[in-house]
Amino acid sequence: MNSYHFRQICYERDDESVFGRLNFSLEPGRMLVIEGQNGSGKTTLLRVVAGFLDMAEGFVEVADQTLPIRDFHEYLPLAYAGHKAGFKDDLTVLENLRFLVALHESDPGQIEPTLQRVGLWGWEDNLGRALSAGQRKRLALAAMLLHPARLWLMDEPFANLDGQGIALVNTLMREHLQRDGMLMTTSHGTFPLEYSHMDILRLGESKGDSS
Amino acid sequence: MNLLRILWSLIQRDLRLAWRSRGELLNPVFFLILVIALFPLGVGPEGKLLARIASGTVWVAALLATMLSLDLIFRSDVEDGSMEQMFVSQTPLSWIVLGKVITHWLVTGLPLVLLAPLLAILMHLPQAGLVVLIQSLALGTPVLSLIGSVGVALTVGIRKGGMLLSLLVLPLYVPVLIFGTAAVENAIAGMSPAGPLLILAAMLLFALTLAPLTAAWALKISLS
């Protein structure tokens, strides 16, 4: 199992630096929590790691090779759960997941157990637009579980969820770490559960110092 | 990796989505029929005059109808985050673009081809030109969808990109228009339409190989 060391990661938008040169590592079985105020670039950093932002600079060291951050998403399969839904409002829960399963070439037989797991079984024939905000989040979680990826990138995983939902996300995260998965997530500061396998990356401090 | 199966699931999904919003989808087709139906009223019912301008009018209307519908290719997927999910999958982005272009052609280009006989009658197109009109539309409309996908991919990140899209795409549509109408004119004049048709076929092959790659690259820039 490899560790991934991110070196000199930076991203500029309109010639203004969103975050400086960051160094951090992702290790099997550990989660990395990105902390920082609103606008400090937490979401942007997740999007850089996911490979959405083509202008990002920096590189990743893994085993004995070095690759540009831009190519990282092609090297390691990763799952991304962001602010956007990631599924279609005009398709039912089941139709959405069937497509994602085909896209990620995972096992269609897992759809039903996964829906039961996230508490959406019984809603599988509802259109995406008919779901509540919390249920939409649960559908996004189901999509993520059906994507066999070692690295999970989760942006605000607890937003819109009720107590049970938060407990569910915590369990899923813990199980993913126990499988030697890696996890990178954002948080506005407070985290409902303490993990012993948790590293923290603080954003925006150097910026605050200089101003 | 079974790329064909992924392509098929994508097309299936997009056709289903298209069917669920069919009202919006039929707009370009209605636009086309309306334009062609109004033309005889505007220029007068004189058969000879209509026959002269028939092929050009049908082609211009087909081109504008395609342009009206281009935005459907990527916009909703970018806005609701589905594109992000496709992006993090291991499937090449150009392959996904190809699937989306095929669906776009199935729901906008194919109806134009099927409607061609009706449009030909409305415009008094001589019998000799009908088959070639259908052939030229069948070869030309996929090119319109393919070129359009590059333009949409470039402008999808811009909120009001409609005008820019037209400016980008229309000049590239002109050759298709010229050779499409030339084929029909040739057939009506009793000459062989093979030349313009073959050039259309060459354009189709060229666009089919390069447009998905270019659009995928443009899409990457638009997303960042």
Side-chain angles (χ1 to χ4, degrees):
Chain A
M1 290 281 173
N2 287 320
S3 303
Y4 298 83
H5 305 287
F6 292 74
R7 295 286 173 256
Q8 308 280 321
I9 305 297
C10 69
Y11 182 71
E12 288 180 357
R13 188 182 288 132
D14 303 329
D15 288 332
E16 200 181 319
S17 161
V18 179
F19 43 74
R21 308 217 163 247
L22 298 173
N23 295 301
F24 54 92
S25 299
L26 290 173
E27 280 161 51
R30 292 188 73 83
M31 73 187 280
L32 182 69
V33 180
I34 313 165
E35 284 188 350
Q37 294 166 330
N38 288 335
S40 57
K42 300 188 294 290
T43 298
T44 309
L45 179 57
L46 279 188
R47 296 177 65 83
V48 165
V49 174
F52 297 150
L53 304 177
D54 227 26
M55 303 301 284
E57 284 174 42
F59 50 92
V60 185
E61 287 169 0
V62 51
D64 51 356
Q65 55 175 317
T66 303
L67 46 144
I69 181 75
R70 273 191 294 273
D71 299 338
F72 176 65
H73 70 283
E74 286 165 13
Y75 183 86
L76 177 77
L78 51 89
Y80 178 82
H83 290 294
K84 292 179 180 173
F87 54 82
K88 305 305 282 187
D89 280 344
D90 283 333
L91 292 181
T92 67
V93 170
L94 205 55
E95 286 164 346
N96 268 308
L97 291 182
R98 280 211 188 107
F99 168 70
L100 288 170
V101 161
L103 181 70
H104 300 313
E105 303 195 287
S106 37
D107 175 18
Q110 286 301 311
I111 292 180
E112 190 183 326
T114 308
L115 278 176
Q116 281 168 342
R117 190 78 213 272
V118 301
L120 277 181
W121 191 244
W123 296 83
E124 69 275 12
D125 289 327
N126 286 55
L127 287 183
R129 66 171 72 258
L131 299 178
S132 74
Q135 284 174 323
R136 296 172 72 83
K137 198 86 187 179
R138 284 165 187 262
L139 179 52
L141 278 175
M144 200 156 176
L145 286 172
L146 287 166
H147 183 173
R150 278 206 45 221
L151 172 59
W152 284 5
L153 303 173
M154 303 175 93
D155 201 355
E156 296 300 336
F158 300 105
N160 291 330
L161 284 172
D162 54 11
Q164 272 181 323
I166 291 173
L168 172 72
V169 174
N170 279 322
T171 320
L172 294 178
M173 282 179 163
R174 200 178 296 118
E175 284 175 3
H176 182 64
L177 295 180
Q178 275 160 4
R179 286 191 301 265
D180 270 338
M182 290 173 287
L183 198 86
M184 200 167 162
T185 180
T186 61
S187 145
H188 280 307
T190 49
F191 226 74
L193 260 190
E194 282 302 320
Y195 291 91
S196 51
H197 301 292
M198 187 162 95
D199 301 307
I200 290 180
L201 175 68
R202 282 204 157 273
L203 287 188
E205 280 177 344
S206 57
K207 216 178 186 177
D209 291 344
S210 63
S211 62
Chain B
M1 185 184 294
N2 195 336
L3 285 177
L4 279 180
R5 186 174 303 160
I6 294 176
L7 189 69
W8 173 234
S9 335
L10 181 64
I11 293 174
Q12 241 181 338
R13 178 193 92 134
D14 282 0
L15 285 178
R16 189 174 277 143
L17 281 169
W19 177 249
R20 299 229 164 123
S21 56
R22 51 192 175 274
E24 187 187 355
L25 203 85
L26 284 175
N27 272 343
V29 177
F30 280 132
F31 170 81
L32 177 81
I33 297 176
L34 283 178
V35 168
I36 301 296
L38 287 174
F39 239 87
L41 297 176
V43 297
E46 196 191 326
K48 259 188 198 150
L49 180 62
L50 281 176
R52 269 284 298 126
I53 57 172
S55 63
T57 315
V58 171
W59 257 103
V60 168
L63 199 144
L64 292 176
T66 308
M67 231 173 58
L68 275 181
S69 64
L70 278 182
D71 227 24
L72 298 175
I73 304 185
F74 299 124
R75 186 166 294 276
S76 80
D77 279 326
V78 168
E79 279 173 359
D80 67 15
S82 298
M83 194 53 83
E84 289 172 351
Q85 295 303 319
M86 296 182 198
F87 194 90
V88 296
S89 77
Q90 299 292 299
T91 316
L93 201 55
S94 51
W95 194 251
I96 283 162
V97 170
L98 181 66
K100 301 200 81 62
V101 172
I102 291 174
T103 320
H104 179 257
W105 181 76
L106 286 176
V107 297
T108 62
L110 189 60
L112 298 189
V113 179
L114 297 177
L115 279 172
L118 173 70
L119 305 177
I121 292 170
L122 283 171
M123 289 302 291
H124 284 264
L125 185 83
Q127 278 283 296
L130 178 60
V131 176
V132 179
L133 178 70
I134 295 174
Q135 285 171 338
S136 69
L137 282 172
L139 285 171
T141 47
V143 183
L144 300 182
S145 295
L146 283 162
I147 294 176
S149 72
V150 180
V152 187
L154 275 173
T155 53
V156 75
I158 306 167
R159 205 154 288 279
K160 297 254 185 282
M163 194 64 211
L164 186 61
L165 177 64
S166 319
L167 283 174
L168 277 174
V169 161
L170 267 183
L172 297 170
Y173 278 181
V174 171
V176 183
L177 175 69
I178 289 173
F179 288 105
T181 48
V184 184
E185 296 293 329
N186 277 7
I188 295 172
M191 293 185 290
S192 161
L197 283 181
L198 284 174
I199 290 181
L200 278 181
M203 283 196 238
L204 175 57
L205 287 179
F206 184 69
L208 198 59
T209 31
L210 285 186
L213 290 172
T214 320
W217 178 69
L219 209 51
K220 239 179 206 181
I221 296 174
S222 287
L223 283 178
S224 37

